[in-house]
Amino acid sequence: MPFASQSVLNQGANQPLIHRHVAVSPSTNSELMQQLANGDIDKTRPYLLTASMQTAGRGQRTRTWQSPIGNIYLSLYHPLQSSLSGLLSLVVGLHITRLPVLQNLNRQRRSLGLPIVGVKWANDIGYYDTESLSAGETPTAADKSNTSFHKLAGILIEPVVTDNKITGVIIGVGMNIEAAPVLSDSTKEGMDYQAISLTQIIKQTQNYKQTHIANKDNAHSGHNSLPSDAHGHLPRAEDLYIPVSATLLRAVAQFEQFSQQSYALTQFIEDYSAVNVLAGRPIIIEQPPLSAHTTQATKPQSAQDKHSDTVVIHGVVTGINTDGSLAINTTQQGYVEPRNIYTGTIRLTGKDKG
């Protein structure tokens, strides 16, 4: 039987969080869902499951999540009082970018002119590197057309249903800490991204600083030190279980405020705009075939691929809406028209942000 341990994490003023860790899990989300179905977990209390490795990790739309050792594979169950919506994954994403290790890293990257680690609608954490900011290299024309997303983490939200009613939620987080899987065209499963680890981003930032900024006055500013412990060690997955779980608990608490305090949602949308890596960017959205009614409604802005019947939408991202949908502007016959996007695969067009 795979190694397993259980402990209680102290979350400050909040009630203690039961944490179970296993060496290997098929999928922490699937395993936690099964434990709930079997009655092994109290549905009235949050519960955390982590694994050192997954053998059948899952992402959005049944995609595979590559899960080598050295990374975070974490699922949090939380009872839910509010109606579940697409906002939750965005709130979780925002709070993940507020992890101290990422805040410190982003301060450093801003000071160097590097792209910050932010949220890509609707459930990814990472950045776009359209200027080829590899340390020591001068961007070329080919580099500037690079529109792949550098994915650090992904979020998978799944409802927990009791008596035909959503009573809770499982929030799955996969984050590359020490190892980023090398993805082929088949393992990318049609997505335009490459995996990157926190260790790689930290080292990339350090190398860039040493190569380009070493002789500038702000190179040794005290608050610009890169994320590591007192001994200079890079972060490890097990060191981040408590900060990440605390972050997810805060995200759920904020999400549940939206139904009680209208200003909380307004403030969230404003905060999200600061970490929205799609903001202002021209994009292409590919959606599966729609019903005849929906297709008719979207026809002026959509085109049909005659082989796959995929709906292709072109637009520029303007933000998010109060229901969690992505807000874009489309242009048809010279007229700009706002539109809300609820699903689809997103790619940058390769044009400059603007």
Side-chain angles (χ1 to χ4, degrees):
M1 180 176 179
F3 166 78
S5 65
Q6 185 163 296
S7 60
V8 178
L9 299 182
N10 183 2
Q11 297 294 342
N14 297 320
Q15 62 179 338
L17 175 67
I18 302 298
H19 173 207
R20 178 171 177 259
H21 179 81
V22 297
V24 181
S25 172
S27 157
T28 55
N29 263 36
S30 297
E31 186 168 340
L32 193 49
M33 189 70 78
Q34 188 61 53
Q35 287 183 283
L36 288 163
N38 293 344
D40 299 332
I41 295 174
D42 180 358
K43 288 187 177 181
T44 67
R45 299 180 59 184
Y47 187 95
L48 179 70
L49 175 65
T50 59
S52 299
M53 185 176 69
Q54 295 182 127
T55 57
R58 297 185 292 114
Q60 292 292 324
R61 302 183 187 92
T62 70
R63 294 188 179 100
T64 301
W65 184 269
Q66 306 295 319
S67 307
I69 290 177
N71 299 332
I72 286 178
Y73 310 111
L74 174 155
S75 294
L76 174 74
Y77 164 73
H78 202 292
L80 206 59
Q81 304 298 321
S82 305
S83 298
L84 184 59
S85 77
L87 278 169
L88 181 55
S89 66
L90 302 178
V91 178
V92 169
L94 171 65
H95 279 267
I96 287 176
T97 67
R98 289 178 171 176
L99 284 166
V101 65
L102 289 183
Q103 285 191 314
N104 189 7
L105 182 58
N106 277 338
R107 279 194 295 269
Q108 181 81 175
R109 292 177 70 82
R110 281 192 187 95
S111 73
L112 297 172
L114 299 176
I116 67 163
V117 177
V119 186
K120 178 193 172 193
W121 186 90
N123 40 55
D124 290 334
I125 309 297
Y127 63 91
Y128 283 103
D129 188 2
T130 55
E131 297 298 327
S132 183
L133 292 167
S134 299
E137 296 182 0
T138 301
T140 65
D143 291 328
K144 292 183 178 180
S145 66
N146 173 23
T147 58
S148 289
F149 181 65
H150 294 249
K151 184 170 178 174
L152 171 66
I155 302 161
L156 179 62
I157 307 285
E158 296 187 297
V160 175
V161 178
T162 305
D163 297 328
N164 296 318
K165 180 182 177 182
I166 296 177
T167 55
V169 66
I170 292 177
I171 304 171
V173 174
M175 182 180 294
N176 302 320
I177 304 299
E178 297 180 40
V182 178
L183 303 177
S184 64
D185 288 341
S186 61
T187 54
K188 286 182 183 179
E189 298 177 317
M191 302 290 287
D192 185 16
Y193 77 96
Q194 53 187 295
I196 193 166
S197 70
L198 182 58
T199 295
Q200 286 175 313
I201 300 175
I202 290 172
K203 289 182 176 179
Q204 174 206 68
T205 307
Q206 181 66 70
N207 290 341
Y208 188 89
K209 176 181 177 180
Q210 291 175 347
T211 304
H212 296 277
I213 314 295
N215 297 321
K216 292 192 176 182
D217 291 340
N218 64 353
H220 50 271
S221 177
H223 69 274
N224 277 341
S225 58
L226 285 162
S228 62
D229 64 18
H231 304 288
H233 299 148
L234 292 166
R236 299 176 303 171
E238 54 265 37
D239 300 328
L240 295 173
Y241 290 149
I242 291 178
V244 172
S245 60
T247 287
L248 298 186
L249 291 172
R250 285 192 291 269
V252 174
Q254 182 179 24
F255 174 75
E256 297 209 302
Q257 285 182 348
F258 295 161
S259 61
Q260 305 164 14
Q261 304 168 352
S262 58
Y263 69 85
L265 179 53
T266 302
Q267 183 62 53
F268 162 71
I269 291 176
E270 180 179 334
D271 292 341
Y272 180 86
S273 66
V275 296
N276 180 2
V277 300
L278 291 174
R281 296 190 184 275
I283 61 171
I284 297 173
I285 304 147
E286 296 180 354
Q287 297 177 332
L290 306 177
S291 66
H293 172 77
T294 309
T295 301
Q296 181 64 30
T298 61
K299 190 175 180 181
Q301 293 85 28
S302 304
Q304 294 279 342
D305 180 277
K306 54 187 174 182
H307 297 294
S308 63
D309 290 330
T310 298
V311 178
V312 180
I313 305 164
H314 296 258
V316 176
V317 175
T318 59
I320 59 170
N321 300 301
T322 56
D323 60 358
S325 60
L326 185 69
I328 67 170
N329 280 341
T330 60
T331 303
Q332 181 69 20
Q333 297 179 343
Y335 292 95
V336 176
E337 197 168 329
R339 180 160 179 195
N340 301 335
I341 301 298
Y342 292 89
T343 187
T345 300
I346 294 177
R347 306 173 191 275
L348 297 191
T349 64
K351 298 177 182 178
D352 291 335
K353 180 179 177 180

PDB file of all heavy atoms in Angstrom, residues 26-48:
ATOM      1  N   PRO A  26      -3.716   8.255  -8.026  1.00  0.00           N
ATOM      2  CA  PRO A  26      -4.102   8.337  -9.441  1.00  0.00           C
ATOM      3  C   PRO A  26      -4.394   9.790  -9.824  1.00  0.00           C
ATOM      4  O   PRO A  26      -3.871  10.321 -10.795  1.00  0.00           O
ATOM      5  CB  PRO A  26      -5.355   7.468  -9.517  1.00  0.00           C
ATOM      6  CG  PRO A  26      -5.260   6.547  -8.345  1.00  0.00           C
ATOM      7  CD  PRO A  26      -4.575   7.331  -7.271  1.00  0.00           C
ATOM      8  N   SER A  27      -5.228  10.437  -9.003  1.00  0.00           N
ATOM      9  CA  SER A  27      -5.578  11.850  -9.156  1.00  0.00           C
ATOM     10  C   SER A  27      -6.098  12.311  -7.805  1.00  0.00           C
ATOM     11  O   SER A  27      -6.995  11.687  -7.235  1.00  0.00           O
ATOM     12  CB  SER A  27      -6.660  12.035 -10.230  1.00  0.00           C
ATOM     13  OG  SER A  27      -7.376  13.239 -10.043  1.00  0.00           O
ATOM     14  N   THR A  28      -5.528  13.360  -7.246  1.00  0.00           N
ATOM     15  CA  THR A  28      -5.977  13.802  -5.927  1.00  0.00           C
ATOM     16  C   THR A  28      -7.438  14.252  -5.959  1.00  0.00           C
ATOM     17  O   THR A  28      -8.182  14.010  -5.005  1.00  0.00           O
ATOM     18  CB  THR A  28      -5.088  14.942  -5.388  1.00  0.00           C
ATOM     19  OG1 THR A  28      -5.042  16.016  -6.326  1.00  0.00           O
ATOM     20  CG2 THR A  28      -3.674  14.431  -5.104  1.00  0.00           C
ATOM     21  N   ASN A  29      -7.877  14.881  -7.048  1.00  0.00           N
ATOM     22  CA  ASN A  29      -9.281  15.255  -7.147  1.00  0.00           C
ATOM     23  C   ASN A  29     -10.174  14.019  -7.156  1.00  0.00           C
ATOM     24  O   ASN A  29     -11.184  13.942  -6.435  1.00  0.00           O
ATOM     25  CB  ASN A  29      -9.535  16.079  -8.413  1.00  0.00           C
ATOM     26  CG  ASN A  29      -9.526  17.577  -8.153  1.00  0.00           C
ATOM     27  OD1 ASN A  29      -8.753  18.063  -7.334  1.00  0.00           O
ATOM     28  ND2 ASN A  29     -10.372  18.312  -8.853  1.00  0.00           N
ATOM     29  N   SER A  30      -9.811  13.024  -7.979  1.00  0.00           N
ATOM     30  CA  SER A  30     -10.627  11.811  -8.082  1.00  0.00           C
ATOM     31  C   SER A  30     -10.641  11.052  -6.763  1.00  0.00           C
ATOM     32  O   SER A  30     -11.685  10.544  -6.328  1.00  0.00           O
ATOM     33  CB  SER A  30     -10.094  10.906  -9.198  1.00  0.00           C
ATOM     34  OG  SER A  30     -10.197  11.541 -10.451  1.00  0.00           O
ATOM     35  N   GLU A  31      -9.481  10.955  -6.115  1.00  0.00           N
ATOM     36  CA  GLU A  31      -9.393  10.223  -4.851  1.00  0.00           C
ATOM     37  C   GLU A  31     -10.214  10.907  -3.762  1.00  0.00           C
ATOM     38  O   GLU A  31     -10.913  10.252  -2.975  1.00  0.00           O
ATOM     39  CB  GLU A  31      -7.932  10.091  -4.421  1.00  0.00           C
ATOM     40  CG  GLU A  31      -7.732   9.223  -3.200  1.00  0.00           C
ATOM     41  CD  GLU A  31      -6.271   8.865  -2.947  1.00  0.00           C
ATOM     42  OE1 GLU A  31      -5.452   8.951  -3.896  1.00  0.00           O
ATOM     43  OE2 GLU A  31      -5.956   8.491  -1.800  1.00  0.00           O
ATOM     44  N   LEU A  32     -10.144  12.234  -3.716  1.00  0.00           N
ATOM     45  CA  LEU A  32     -10.910  12.975  -2.720  1.00  0.00           C
ATOM     46  C   LEU A  32     -12.401  12.857  -2.984  1.00  0.00           C
ATOM     47  O   LEU A  32     -13.196  12.687  -2.044  1.00  0.00           O
ATOM     48  CB  LEU A  32     -10.467  14.439  -2.733  1.00  0.00           C
ATOM     49  CG  LEU A  32     -10.922  15.331  -1.578  1.00  0.00           C
ATOM     50  CD1 LEU A  32     -10.662  14.687  -0.224  1.00  0.00           C
ATOM     51  CD2 LEU A  32     -10.228  16.683  -1.667  1.00  0.00           C
ATOM     52  N   MET A  33     -12.790  12.903  -4.245  1.00  0.00           N
ATOM     53  CA  MET A  33     -14.204  12.741  -4.600  1.00  0.00           C
ATOM     54  C   MET A  33     -14.712  11.372  -4.166  1.00  0.00           C
ATOM     55  O   MET A  33     -15.837  11.240  -3.657  1.00  0.00           O
ATOM     56  CB  MET A  33     -14.389  12.928  -6.106  1.00  0.00           C
ATOM     57  CG  MET A  33     -15.840  13.004  -6.564  1.00  0.00           C
ATOM     58  SD  MET A  33     -16.671  14.530  -6.065  1.00  0.00           S
ATOM     59  CE  MET A  33     -16.009  15.667  -7.288  1.00  0.00           C
ATOM     60  N   GLN A  34     -13.879  10.337  -4.345  1.00  0.00           N
ATOM     61  CA  GLN A  34     -14.279   8.985  -3.952  1.00  0.00           C
ATOM     62  C   GLN A  34     -14.399   8.871  -2.439  1.00  0.00           C
ATOM     63  O   GLN A  34     -15.321   8.229  -1.919  1.00  0.00           O
ATOM     64  CB  GLN A  34     -13.265   7.963  -4.478  1.00  0.00           C
ATOM     65  CG  GLN A  34     -13.696   6.516  -4.285  1.00  0.00           C
ATOM     66  CD  GLN A  34     -14.978   6.195  -5.019  1.00  0.00           C
ATOM     67  OE1 GLN A  34     -15.094   6.430  -6.225  1.00  0.00           O
ATOM     68  NE2 GLN A  34     -15.970   5.672  -4.293  1.00  0.00           N
ATOM     69  N   GLN A  35     -13.479   9.495  -1.709  1.00  0.00           N
ATOM     70  CA  GLN A  35     -13.550   9.469  -0.248  1.00  0.00           C
ATOM     71  C   GLN A  35     -14.833  10.128   0.249  1.00  0.00           C
ATOM     72  O   GLN A  35     -15.470   9.650   1.196  1.00  0.00           O
ATOM     73  CB  GLN A  35     -12.341  10.180   0.352  1.00  0.00           C
ATOM     74  CG  GLN A  35     -11.030   9.410   0.241  1.00  0.00           C
ATOM     75  CD  GLN A  35      -9.895  10.157   0.919  1.00  0.00           C
ATOM     76  OE1 GLN A  35      -9.363  11.124   0.375  1.00  0.00           O
ATOM     77  NE2 GLN A  35      -9.534   9.729   2.112  1.00  0.00           N
ATOM     78  N   LEU A  36     -15.227  11.219  -0.392  1.00  0.00           N
ATOM     79  CA  LEU A  36     -16.476  11.890  -0.029  1.00  0.00           C
ATOM     80  C   LEU A  36     -17.676  11.004  -0.324  1.00  0.00           C
ATOM     81  O   LEU A  36     -18.609  10.895   0.489  1.00  0.00           O
ATOM     82  CB  LEU A  36     -16.598  13.216  -0.782  1.00  0.00           C
ATOM     83  CG  LEU A  36     -15.656  14.332  -0.325  1.00  0.00           C
ATOM     84  CD1 LEU A  36     -15.556  15.425  -1.384  1.00  0.00           C
ATOM     85  CD2 LEU A  36     -16.126  14.932   1.003  1.00  0.00           C
ATOM     86  N   ALA A  37     -17.655  10.349  -1.483  1.00  0.00           N
ATOM     87  CA  ALA A  37     -18.766   9.468  -1.861  1.00  0.00           C
ATOM     88  C   ALA A  37     -18.892   8.282  -0.906  1.00  0.00           C
ATOM     89  O   ALA A  37     -19.999   7.812  -0.621  1.00  0.00           O
ATOM     90  CB  ALA A  37     -18.563   8.980  -3.290  1.00  0.00           C
ATOM     91  N   ASN A  38     -17.742   7.818  -0.394  1.00  0.00           N
ATOM     92  CA  ASN A  38     -17.746   6.668   0.517  1.00  0.00           C
ATOM     93  C   ASN A  38     -18.104   7.053   1.949  1.00  0.00           C
ATOM     94  O   ASN A  38     -18.242   6.175   2.814  1.00  0.00           O
ATOM     95  CB  ASN A  38     -16.366   5.997   0.519  1.00  0.00           C
ATOM     96  CG  ASN A  38     -16.040   5.340  -0.807  1.00  0.00           C
ATOM     97  OD1 ASN A  38     -16.915   5.106  -1.636  1.00  0.00           O
ATOM     98  ND2 ASN A  38     -14.758   5.054  -1.025  1.00  0.00           N
ATOM     99  N   GLY A  39     -18.202   8.342   2.204  1.00  0.00           N
ATOM    100  CA  GLY A  39     -18.497   8.785   3.563  1.00  0.00           C
ATOM    101  C   GLY A  39     -17.292   8.775   4.477  1.00  0.00           C
ATOM    102  O   GLY A  39     -17.430   8.818   5.705  1.00  0.00           O
ATOM    103  N   ASP A  40     -16.082   8.738   3.901  1.00  0.00           N
ATOM    104  CA  ASP A  40     -14.858   8.697   4.702  1.00  0.00           C
ATOM    105  C   ASP A  40     -14.461  10.075   5.236  1.00  0.00           C
ATOM    106  O   ASP A  40     -13.580  10.180   6.093  1.00  0.00           O
ATOM    107  CB  ASP A  40     -13.697   8.136   3.869  1.00  0.00           C
ATOM    108  CG  ASP A  40     -13.957   6.715   3.401  1.00  0.00           C
ATOM    109  OD1 ASP A  40     -14.699   5.993   4.092  1.00  0.00           O
ATOM    110  OD2 ASP A  40     -13.411   6.333   2.341  1.00  0.00           O
ATOM    111  N   ILE A  41     -15.086  11.116   4.706  1.00  0.00           N
ATOM    112  CA  ILE A  41     -14.736  12.488   5.072  1.00  0.00           C
ATOM    113  C   ILE A  41     -15.991  13.215   5.536  1.00  0.00           C
ATOM    114  O   ILE A  41     -17.068  13.064   4.954  1.00  0.00           O
ATOM    115  CB  ILE A  41     -14.120  13.226   3.859  1.00  0.00           C
ATOM    116  CG1 ILE A  41     -12.791  12.579   3.459  1.00  0.00           C
ATOM    117  CG2 ILE A  41     -13.909  14.704   4.165  1.00  0.00           C
ATOM    118  CD1 ILE A  41     -12.211  13.154   2.190  1.00  0.00           C
ATOM    119  N   ASP A  42     -15.837  14.011   6.562  1.00  0.00           N
ATOM    120  CA  ASP A  42     -16.923  14.847   7.072  1.00  0.00           C
ATOM    121  C   ASP A  42     -17.164  15.985   6.074  1.00  0.00           C
ATOM    122  O   ASP A  42     -16.299  16.862   5.895  1.00  0.00           O
ATOM    123  CB  ASP A  42     -16.524  15.402   8.442  1.00  0.00           C
ATOM    124  CG  ASP A  42     -17.599  16.285   9.065  1.00  0.00           C
ATOM    125  OD1 ASP A  42     -18.646  16.506   8.419  1.00  0.00           O
ATOM    126  OD2 ASP A  42     -17.378  16.751  10.201  1.00  0.00           O
ATOM    127  N   LYS A  43     -18.335  15.998   5.455  1.00  0.00           N
ATOM    128  CA  LYS A  43     -18.627  17.006   4.425  1.00  0.00           C
ATOM    129  C   LYS A  43     -18.863  18.399   4.998  1.00  0.00           C
ATOM    130  O   LYS A  43     -19.010  19.359   4.233  1.00  0.00           O
ATOM    131  CB  LYS A  43     -19.846  16.587   3.604  1.00  0.00           C
ATOM    132  CG  LYS A  43     -19.592  15.422   2.664  1.00  0.00           C
ATOM    133  CD  LYS A  43     -20.799  15.172   1.774  1.00  0.00           C
ATOM    134  CE  LYS A  43     -20.525  14.053   0.783  1.00  0.00           C
ATOM    135  NZ  LYS A  43     -21.687  13.810  -0.114  1.00  0.00           N
ATOM    136  N   THR A  44     -18.904  18.504   6.299  1.00  0.00           N
ATOM    137  CA  THR A  44     -19.136  19.825   6.889  1.00  0.00           C
ATOM    138  C   THR A  44     -17.841  20.573   7.175  1.00  0.00           C
ATOM    139  O   THR A  44     -17.864  21.721   7.608  1.00  0.00           O
ATOM    140  CB  THR A  44     -19.925  19.701   8.204  1.00  0.00           C
ATOM    141  OG1 THR A  44     -19.108  19.040   9.193  1.00  0.00           O
ATOM    142  CG2 THR A  44     -21.215  18.917   7.985  1.00  0.00           C
ATOM    143  N   ARG A  45     -16.686  19.905   6.923  1.00  0.00           N
ATOM    144  CA  ARG A  45     -15.405  20.528   7.232  1.00  0.00           C
ATOM    145  C   ARG A  45     -14.459  20.450   6.049  1.00  0.00           C
ATOM    146  O   ARG A  45     -14.493  19.475   5.275  1.00  0.00           O
ATOM    147  CB  ARG A  45     -14.756  19.820   8.433  1.00  0.00           C
ATOM    148  CG  ARG A  45     -15.563  19.874   9.706  1.00  0.00           C
ATOM    149  CD  ARG A  45     -14.835  19.143  10.822  1.00  0.00           C
ATOM    150  NE  ARG A  45     -13.515  19.719  11.086  1.00  0.00           N
ATOM    151  CZ  ARG A  45     -12.652  19.219  11.954  1.00  0.00           C
ATOM    152  NH1 ARG A  45     -12.957  18.134  12.638  1.00  0.00           N
ATOM    153  NH2 ARG A  45     -11.480  19.796  12.132  1.00  0.00           N
ATOM    154  N   PRO A  46     -13.580  21.437   5.888  1.00  0.00           N
ATOM    155  CA  PRO A  46     -12.572  21.375   4.819  1.00  0.00           C
ATOM    156  C   PRO A  46     -11.623  20.199   5.046  1.00  0.00           C
ATOM    157  O   PRO A  46     -11.384  19.777   6.186  1.00  0.00           O
ATOM    158  CB  PRO A  46     -11.834  22.708   4.940  1.00  0.00           C
ATOM    159  CG  PRO A  46     -12.759  23.603   5.684  1.00  0.00           C
ATOM    160  CD  PRO A  46     -13.514  22.711   6.626  1.00  0.00           C
ATOM    161  N   TYR A  47     -11.063  19.700   3.956  1.00  0.00           N
ATOM    162  CA  TYR A  47     -10.158  18.548   4.019  1.00  0.00           C
ATOM    163  C   TYR A  47      -9.158  18.679   2.886  1.00  0.00           C
ATOM    164  O   TYR A  47      -9.530  18.989   1.737  1.00  0.00           O
ATOM    165  CB  TYR A  47     -10.949  17.249   3.886  1.00  0.00           C
ATOM    166  CG  TYR A  47     -10.155  15.979   4.101  1.00  0.00           C
ATOM    167  CD1 TYR A  47     -10.123  15.351   5.338  1.00  0.00           C
ATOM    168  CD2 TYR A  47      -9.435  15.397   3.055  1.00  0.00           C
ATOM    169  CE1 TYR A  47      -9.406  14.181   5.543  1.00  0.00           C
ATOM    170  CE2 TYR A  47      -8.704  14.232   3.242  1.00  0.00           C
ATOM    171  CZ  TYR A  47      -8.697  13.633   4.490  1.00  0.00           C
ATOM    172  OH  TYR A  47      -7.987  12.471   4.686  1.00  0.00           O
ATOM    173  N   LEU A  48      -7.882  18.428   3.177  1.00  0.00           N
ATOM    174  CA  LEU A  48      -6.814  18.599   2.195  1.00  0.00           C
ATOM    175  C   LEU A  48      -6.160  17.263   1.885  1.00  0.00           C
ATOM    176  O   LEU A  48      -5.794  16.516   2.794  1.00  0.00           O
ATOM    177  CB  LEU A  48      -5.763  19.569   2.746  1.00  0.00           C
ATOM    178  CG  LEU A  48      -4.548  19.851   1.863  1.00  0.00           C
ATOM    179  CD1 LEU A  48      -4.954  20.669   0.636  1.00  0.00           C
ATOM    180  CD2 LEU A  48      -3.469  20.592   2.662  1.00  0.00           C
TER     181      LEU A  48
END
